Amino acid sequence: MKNFFIISSLLDNDFYKFTMQNAIIKLFPLVKAKYEFINRGKYFFPKNFSKILEENLNNMAYLKLSNDEKKYLEKYCPYLDKSYIDFLDKYQFNPKEVKIFQKGTSIKMNIEGLWYRTILWEVPLMAIISELYYKLTGTKPFSDKKIQILTKEKIKKYKKLKVKIGEYGTRRRYSFNVHKLVLNLLVEEAKPIFVGSSNIYLSKFFSIKPIGTQGHEWIMFHAAKYGFNLADQIAMENWLNIYNDKLGIALSDTYTSKIFFKNFNEKLSNIYLGIRHDSGDPISFIKETIKHYKKFKINPNKKKIIFSDNLNPYKVQYISKFCKNKIIPIFGIGTNFTNDVGLPSMKIVIKMTKIFLRKKWISVVKLSNSKEKSTGEKKMIFIAKKMLSLL
């Protein structure tokens, strides 16, 4: 396992981390943040896991944007302006921002620093932990040939359904090699329906456009700064301040879709191209979304819903059938593409926990439409629900 380094490029990460980083640099450059690793699956980590993880982190300090990568961003990501790409050209990871502790088989990990810097750690760290865990515990996945067969079968099903699909699988992939293998098949065989990958490095490798917009932490920060009731609205308005009508997909479930729709006013509903569904019952959400658009006399058939909640061919078929002639569905498929290798996928997350504002650390929470996806301190979750009248 000596010198087994998983991340070999600054861009082996999800696109939405960079779009948020750009916005943070421009609007909130002095804000500090804390993140925490959450072992939802209660996994037992092998001896010396933290040591090999730290070696991987230390190696990431040497990653720099190459000239080819810079040219790729300029060509394929025009909404990232020159000043930001110049910033990224000088950016380097600082492993001192990450603290890892191992006691027996238990791992704890905390990230702390300026938000615009620490935001890039989450996805590559998750990918490293996942791949290292599988390798160090001696798991035996399906052969590459079987993974290819499974992926081709899924592509065939999605083509038959005539649905648009994207690949969102960086953070919980089995390995970089499996990720690359699957994406190669999507690029070669799913062209009519494939809209792109969230991974920038692999998108560059296959000369395709990366996809993604924003994550929950963008809205969680706004709740800490502006209050829970207005967080969704101000977060959406600030996004427009940076990107205008580009990257216009609104995230709907940071404080439940009920609160989101209260904030998604007529102006925002018209400007944003659509909404992302990431938790809760998809059919109820579709009905709620259509009702919301019709309230403002907006034609739902011209709006999109990006579905990204633990999808597989069965769920996609079920959802797309209900959406037909009602609203445009697009499916962001993650683990089912990059970690369908005959082993259980890891239930791990890294979440923002605190923001340094007004000279103190403020806890942040995500409520979600599914209780099991809520994160944050219990006391703060209770306060958020009380303030939002969700108790």
Side-chain angles (χ1 to χ4, degrees), residues 308-324:
S308 59
D309 183 19
N310 196 24
L311 298 172
N312 56 43
Y314 172 77
K315 284 185 181 178
V316 170
Q317 181 178 12
Y318 173 65
I319 293 166
S320 63
K321 187 179 177 183
F322 191 83
C323 286
K324 196 169 183 181

Side-chain angles (χ1 to χ4, degrees), residues 6-22:
I6 290 163
I7 305 295
S8 61
S9 167
L10 190 70
L11 298 185
D12 189 4
N13 203 329
D14 279 343
F15 182 56
Y16 80 146
K17 286 292 183 174
F18 295 88
T19 57
M20 287 191 289
Q21 185 184 53
N22 178 40

Side-chain angles (χ1 to χ4, degrees), residues 108-244:
K108 287 192 175 180
M109 183 165 58
N110 300 296
I111 304 164
E112 181 180 332
L114 286 164
W115 186 23
Y116 77 81
R117 289 193 49 81
T118 53
I119 195 167
L120 291 191
W121 278 114
E122 177 194 349
V123 175
L125 270 175
M126 293 264 288
I128 292 169
I129 292 167
S130 181
E131 185 162 351
L132 275 183
Y133 179 81
Y134 288 120
K135 285 199 176 290
L136 292 173
T137 53
T139 58
K140 288 188 166 53
F142 291 148
S143 66
D144 284 0
K145 188 176 181 181
K146 184 158 185 180
I147 293 167
Q148 285 175 316
I149 290 166
L150 279 172
T151 305
K152 285 179 180 181
E153 284 173 357
K154 289 171 198 170
I155 290 169
K156 196 175 175 182
K157 286 175 184 175
Y158 294 138
K159 276 184 171 179
K160 193 176 178 182
L161 290 170
K162 296 179 181 176
V163 292
K164 296 290 183 186
I165 57 167
E167 180 274 304
Y168 284 11
T170 304
R171 67 186 60 224
R172 291 187 187 89
R173 65 194 183 194
Y174 176 79
S175 69
F176 173 81
N177 288 336
V178 166
H179 193 175
K180 189 176 176 183
L181 181 76
V182 168
L183 193 51
N184 181 52
L185 288 170
L186 286 166
V187 171
E188 283 186 356
E189 304 199 10
K191 275 182 183 174
I193 61 165
F194 182 55
V195 297
S197 167
S198 64
N199 186 288
I200 312 183
Y201 177 65
L202 287 172
S203 293
K204 177 191 174 294
F205 185 86
F206 291 108
S207 300
I208 58 175
K209 192 175 177 179
I211 55 173
T213 51
Q214 61 185 252
H216 293 100
E217 67 189 281
W218 177 251
I219 301 155
M220 290 159 71
F221 160 77
H222 282 78
K225 186 169 175 64
Y226 302 105
F228 294 109
N229 280 291
L230 288 174
D232 282 307
Q233 184 181 328
I234 300 174
M236 284 186 274
E237 287 172 350
N238 275 334
W239 198 252
L240 291 177
N241 289 340
I242 301 298
Y243 295 111
N244 298 312

Side-chain angles (χ1 to χ4, degrees), residues 295-341:
K295 180 177 74 176
F296 294 129
K297 295 183 171 54
I298 297 168
N299 183 0
N301 273 307
K302 294 187 176 178
K303 295 292 185 179
K304 300 171 183 175
I305 300 181
I306 314 291
F307 295 93
S308 59
D309 183 19
N310 196 24
L311 298 172
N312 56 43
Y314 172 77
K315 284 185 181 178
V316 170
Q317 181 178 12
Y318 173 65
I319 293 166
S320 63
K321 187 179 177 183
F322 191 83
C323 286
K324 196 169 183 181
N325 300 322
K326 297 185 186 86
I327 199 161
I328 303 164
I330 299 174
F331 299 92
I333 301 162
T335 309
N336 191 252
F337 268 146
T338 62
N339 202 345
D340 186 10
V341 297

Side-chain angles (χ1 to χ4, degrees), residues 239-269:
W239 198 252
L240 291 177
N241 289 340
I242 301 298
Y243 295 111
N244 298 312
D245 60 345
K246 304 291 188 296
L247 303 176
I249 299 295
L251 184 53
S252 63
D253 69 332
T254 314
Y255 298 108
T256 75
S257 57
K258 178 185 174 183
I259 302 304
F260 167 79
F261 283 116
K262 283 183 182 176
N263 281 271
F264 200 41
N265 59 34
E266 186 174 0
K267 174 194 164 187
L268 294 170
S269 296

